[in-house]
Amino acid sequence: MAKTKQMYFCQECGYESAKWQGQCPGCKSWNTFVEEKIVVGAGKHSAKAEAAVPTNILDITSTEDTRIGTGMKELDRVLGGGIVKGSLTLVGGDPGIGKSTLLLQVCRNLITEEHKVLYTSGEESLQQIKLRAERLGGFTKDMLLLCETNLDAIEGAITKVMPEVVIIDSIQTMYLEDIGSGAGSVSQVREVTGRLMRIAKQLEIAVFIVGHVTKEGTVAGPRTLEHMVDTVLYFEGEKNALYRILRGVKNRFGSTNEIGVFEMKDTGLYEVENPSQVMLNGRPLEASGSVVVCSIEGTRPILIEIQALVCQSNFNLPRRTSVGIDYNRVNLLMAVLEKRAGLMLAGNDAYVNLAGGMRLSEPAIDLGIIAALVSSFKNISVDAHTIIFGEVGLAGEVRGVTMAAQRVKEAAKMGFTTCILPQINCDGLKNIEGMKLVGVKNISEVITYI
């Protein structure tokens, strides 16, 4: 007979323990254990499982050429070329950011191309989904809707209608009756995801699951959720901002850190095919502290403006603020400027902003941050047709970056005429028509060009 007992689970890695612990022995995270009730002895079978039969790899037919296009080039780029049959994709993001809107638009495009789609919601009623669909417009073909939270009932509907694509919105609302804990708990999320993965692989159905995020910005539930799925997509951006960034954090069928840029309007999300042009719209041409850099997101070079404001501080402890850029990285680069370039920044407030609402962590933008800080400190504007990129070390040296040729070509396409880049990258580049390449070895050389 099945009985219930108390167990503790780590929300980060799923580690199980019979008692509460302050630090997880598995992932070393603090205060991540939660208490749950589990049913012991349920679902066990005494029959011996049959031996599995291995398959020769030469006898397996690849389905890479049978991807399903979503009708959105930006999403296809992030997915690696389209939806792979039998894949399990997790879409995470803040509440109200547009996850459900994006997936509903994908469903509209798929049914237009005669693909069978099942949209399952545990948060909205059929009437609410219908109202959102009417706002988006374009639903001229049949699409199957299901409002259910019991995964056993959902699995029965899937096996009955056999759709090509299934949307689960959201994973935190789904539950299995065999699990004693409530919906959204570590046990439920893990087991529900495992069941959906089995359905996707056995029936060759592409499954998209929506996941809520915590205040730290990670998907709620156990960390093993991201390890179980094939693809993890994060929808980023401020709810009040115009643009949204779809970032591929994990992808078994394509490159990671690929991004897609969307614009949010009253009638849904619209693709931004040239993010560089959008990010540079409205930038000041003769203002000090404004520098354009080039960052690589996945395989795409993106030009973006870095703004810096350095002014005399009225406080004993100067303020340091950064938006879109790692705060500690800005402090490190300011220390390098003081030590290696002799600029006295200790008594100044410093504000660094990445225009356009994006967030970048690539080291190649270091040289641009340095140039923006120096430009604002000296109150000298950088030429509006100059682009800067390169990694900066603690000794003040400028190190090489990857995909330098793609960065320079993107800058030339956008009308820039001068590029300040690491000397090691400059030596390996061929002359590009209309572009003057300036190689630098340290930050002192960069300052002479400002």
Side-chain angles (χ1 to χ4, degrees):
M1 180 179 178
K3 59 181 180 178
T4 303
K5 74 173 186 176
Q6 302 284 353
M7 289 291 291
Y8 293 87
F9 293 89
C10 174
Q11 298 182 83
E12 290 292 328
C13 65
Y15 185 91
E16 300 181 15
S17 174
K19 61 180 181 179
W20 186 89
Q21 300 185 55
Q23 185 183 35
C24 174
C27 62
K28 306 301 180 184
S29 300
W30 289 92
N31 299 322
T32 57
F33 274 91
V34 293
E35 180 183 8
E36 291 185 12
K37 295 181 180 180
I38 63 172
V39 180
V40 182
K44 292 185 177 180
H45 302 281
S46 58
K48 185 178 180 181
E50 296 182 2
V53 180
T55 303
N56 192 331
I57 190 172
L58 299 178
D59 298 333
I60 301 174
T61 303
S62 174
T63 58
E64 181 67 23
D65 57 343
T66 60
R67 288 179 182 258
I68 303 173
T70 64
M72 306 176 77
K73 294 181 180 178
E74 292 295 299
L75 179 56
D76 287 341
R77 171 193 288 271
V78 179
L79 291 173
I83 302 173
V84 178
K85 294 182 179 180
S87 63
L88 183 61
T89 302
L90 172 64
V91 182
D94 294 329
I97 201 68
K99 304 183 296 296
S100 300
T101 300
L102 174 67
L103 292 177
L104 195 57
Q105 288 184 223
V106 171
C107 292
R108 179 190 62 191
N109 297 339
L110 290 174
I111 62 176
T112 304
E113 298 296 327
E114 304 297 336
H115 296 290
K116 184 180 289 188
V117 177
L118 174 61
Y119 190 100
T120 305
S121 177
E123 300 177 343
E124 296 177 293
S125 66
L126 296 175
Q127 291 75 18
Q128 290 173 327
I129 300 174
K130 175 65 174 179
L131 286 174
R132 190 148 48 87
E134 290 178 346
R135 177 173 59 86
L136 297 176
F139 285 84
T140 57
K141 301 288 184 68
D142 293 335
M143 185 179 78
L144 302 176
L145 298 180
L146 179 64
C147 291
E148 182 60 68
T149 56
N150 188 331
L151 191 61
D152 291 323
I154 296 173
E155 183 177 4
I158 292 175
T159 54
K160 182 178 180 180
V161 302
M162 289 300 293
E164 295 181 67
V165 178
V166 174
I167 310 296
I168 304 293
D169 187 8
S170 66
I171 190 66
Q172 279 80 16
T173 62
M174 303 297 157
Y175 74 94
L176 285 167
E177 293 182 345
D178 296 340
I179 309 299
S181 55
S185 63
V186 175
S187 300
Q188 286 285 5
V189 171
R190 182 176 56 192
E191 295 301 323
V192 167
T193 306
R195 178 78 69 86
L196 289 172
M197 181 173 63
R198 180 179 60 81
I199 294 171
K201 304 303 180 186
Q202 290 183 352
L203 303 180
E204 286 292 310
I205 295 174
V207 179
F208 285 81
I209 56 178
V210 176
H212 299 303
V213 297
T214 62
K215 60 181 180 181
E216 289 81 16
T218 59
V219 177
R223 196 68 177 181
T224 51
L225 174 61
E226 297 187 17
H227 297 300
M228 295 171 69
V229 300
D230 297 312
T231 307
V232 180
L233 308 179
Y234 273 100
F235 216 24
E236 304 172 355
E238 299 294 332
K239 286 188 290 185
N240 298 325
L242 188 62
Y243 298 104
R244 304 284 193 269
I245 308 297
L246 183 67
R247 188 182 303 275
V249 179
K250 172 188 176 182
N251 193 350
R252 289 175 178 160
F253 314 112
S255 62
T256 57
N257 286 327
E258 196 74 62
I259 70 166
V261 183
F262 297 87
E263 181 180 359
M264 177 63 81
K265 295 184 178 180
D266 294 339
T267 54
L269 292 162
Y270 290 82
E271 301 174 74
V272 177
E273 296 183 357
N274 192 347
S276 296
Q277 183 176 1
V278 171
M279 297 300 172
L280 296 180
N281 280 342
R283 71 184 180 99
L285 300 181
E286 300 296 334
S288 62
S290 174
V291 172
V292 177
V293 299
C294 185
S295 176
I296 295 292
E297 296 295 317
T299 59
R300 166 188 280 179
I302 293 182
L303 305 186
I304 193 167
E305 178 194 5
I306 292 180
Q307 297 177 334
L309 179 62
V310 180
C311 56
Q312 191 67 32
S313 177
N314 295 321
F315 305 97
N316 293 330
L317 184 64
R319 297 188 63 181
R320 302 281 191 268
T321 303
S322 66
V323 179
I325 303 173
D326 183 27
Y327 170 81
N328 295 320
R329 190 68 181 174
V330 174
N331 282 336
L332 183 148
L333 294 174
M334 292 186 67
V336 172
L337 276 174
E338 286 204 14
K339 180 70 175 179
R340 306 301 178 186
L343 297 182
M344 296 295 103
L345 302 175
N348 293 274
D349 294 333
Y351 308 91
V352 180
N353 175 48
L354 200 62
M358 286 191 65
R359 297 173 185 170
L360 297 180
S361 58
E362 192 193 16
I365 67 174
D366 288 352
L367 202 59
I369 299 174
I370 289 283
L373 289 169
V374 174
S375 172
S376 179
F377 180 73
K378 292 186 174 183
N379 200 27
I380 300 175
S381 62
V382 178
D383 180 36
H385 296 92
T386 299
I387 186 171
I388 303 175
F389 61 84
E391 182 182 355
V392 177
L394 292 181
E397 80 279 12
V398 179
R399 297 176 175 269
V401 299
T402 60
M403 302 177 68
Q406 288 88 330
R407 300 174 198 260
V408 176
K409 290 178 181 178
E410 179 72 11
K413 187 175 70 174
M414 294 299 298
F416 288 83
T417 57
T418 304
C419 180
I420 300 177
L421 71 165
Q423 182 66 54
I424 188 172
N425 290 127
C426 186
D427 295 338
L429 284 178
K430 298 180 180 179
N431 292 330
I432 298 177
E433 185 178 356
M435 179 67 72
K436 177 185 176 182
L437 301 179
V438 179
V440 293
K441 296 181 180 178
N442 53 63
I443 61 174
S444 299
E445 296 181 14
V446 179
I447 294 175
T448 59
Y449 289 100
I450 298 177

